[in-house]
Amino acid sequence: MPLDPQVKDFLNMYNQYQMPALDSIDPKMIRAMEQNSALQQIASQTDIYRVEDRTIPLEDRQIPVRLYTPTDAEVHPALVFYHGGGWVLGSLDSHDELCRKLAREAECVVISVDYRLAPEHPFPAAVWDAYDSLHYIAEHAGEYGIDAEQIAVGGDSAGGNLATVACIIARDKSGPSVCYQLLFYPSTGNGTDTRSYRENSQGYLLTADMMNWFRKCYFEQPDDENHPYASPVLSSDLNGLPPAMIITAEYDPLRDSGAEYARRLQEEGVEVEYLCYDGMIHGFVTMSQLDRTQEAIRQAAARLRQVYQMDV
């Protein structure tokens, strides 16, 4: 399919800017620019019953989280959400609108996790923040107004990676029970030998250079990339993981690795709904100006409602 017209207009403007070599930029500078952009958008974001910032107090660190509560009901199902950004960028603010929409549309409490970022905190720091926050939230479900038996996980890109890896650790440690995985174009493996990587590595927002820079920041050792907690598609055992919806984008270098992960899950007996959005690019679910973004969010929220048995 051709690029969606709205995506094409966006890329025409975006690609006019000449970015300096990423290796020459301090990640903190990019984060500051991203934060300023996110804060400018928050004033016009989706209304929701309550938004609250909290901190998860672990023994050796604290993890900031943001709760999005859709109604005044005492107990809701929950979605623990991990933002994307290559494990280097992204924040609670960068994904604020997406979390608001998911909470409202799915009628669940969304708990967005502000995990530690690389290169200051390389692999596997984000992995353990993802799992430990999930474990704490499940153990303290009453404090969050959620049902411990109805906790799903979700994330986009690197956040999708953390969501599914948290599920793998939870299974292996007999940890929290997770009812569903909602994964938007997840990073599930290095994917450099796929057709989608070869065809879409330039010109479609997420580039090969960007992915290489993210990996250099996140992984201290080359072998880290082959660890199942970094590339879950390489895991020898995916049996027993929660059912999943995996949404990818046609013009995304990560498309085929996401499809391969869906296939691996299905082979292991995990129920998977795989959807590839034609004409879309990596990151599209955070682009609220796109019509198909709203479609994807509604579709994902509808599936969560079914999982939570609201629509039966």
Side-chain angles (χ1 to χ4, degrees), residues 38-281:
L39 290 174
Q40 290 174 7
Q41 299 176 22
I42 285 180
S44 61
Q45 305 240 327
T46 298
D47 287 335
I48 195 166
Y49 176 70
R50 183 171 63 241
V51 178
E52 179 184 3
D53 287 346
R54 294 193 188 182
T55 301
I56 291 177
L58 302 179
E59 290 185 3
D60 59 344
R61 65 197 186 282
Q62 295 188 339
I63 303 175
V65 296
R66 182 171 293 168
L67 275 67
Y68 301 83
T69 304
T71 72
D72 62 356
E74 291 186 6
V75 180
H76 292 86
L79 172 68
V80 179
F81 187 86
Y82 309 100
H83 66 76
W87 308 283
V88 179
L89 308 176
S91 67
L92 299 180
D93 291 334
S94 68
H95 286 61
D96 185 80
E97 174 67 356
L98 173 59
C99 290
R100 287 170 180 262
K101 286 184 179 294
L102 286 170
R104 188 182 68 176
E105 296 288 339
E107 294 186 23
C108 68
V109 168
V110 173
I111 305 174
S112 184
V113 178
D114 199 15
Y115 56 87
R116 289 171 292 174
L117 299 176
E120 297 91 336
H121 303 283
F123 174 86
V127 168
W128 290 112
D129 282 0
Y131 174 72
D132 290 343
S133 59
L134 172 65
H135 187 274
Y136 184 93
I137 289 165
E139 291 261 304
H140 298 81
E143 297 175 17
Y144 292 93
I146 63 174
D147 182 349
E149 300 301 316
Q150 289 192 310
I151 298 177
V153 297
D156 67 317
S157 194
N161 167 280
L162 296 175
T164 198
V165 169
C167 290
I168 293 173
I169 298 174
R171 179 202 62 187
D172 293 346
K173 288 180 170 289
S174 299
S177 176
V178 178
C179 65
Y180 202 68
Q181 305 177 74
L182 177 61
L183 311 176
F184 298 106
Y185 35 81
S187 177
T188 57
N190 58 38
T192 57
D193 59 347
T194 65
R195 178 179 175 183
S196 64
Y197 181 90
R198 293 190 297 270
E199 293 180 348
N200 304 311
S201 62
Q202 299 294 331
Y204 299 104
L205 189 62
L206 179 65
T207 66
D209 288 344
M210 291 174 65
M211 288 186 285
N212 289 335
W213 182 68
F214 289 144
R215 292 188 186 105
K216 287 179 181 179
C217 290
Y218 188 48
F219 300 115
E220 287 190 309
Q221 304 297 328
D223 288 346
D224 287 345
E225 289 192 59
N226 296 320
H227 195 289
Y229 292 173
S231 300
V233 74
L234 301 178
S235 176
S236 61
D237 180 14
L238 298 174
N239 184 48
L241 294 184
M245 169 181 275
I246 298 178
I247 292 178
T248 61
E250 181 182 8
Y251 291 89
D252 183 353
L254 296 185
R255 182 196 68 214
D256 290 349
S257 59
E260 173 65 12
Y261 190 62
R263 185 188 66 80
R264 282 289 320 281
L265 287 173
Q266 289 173 330
E267 287 182 347
E268 297 278 357
V270 177
E271 181 182 345
V272 179
E273 183 175 3
Y274 174 75
L275 302 168
C276 181
Y277 267 64
D278 294 338
M280 293 290 107
I281 58 174

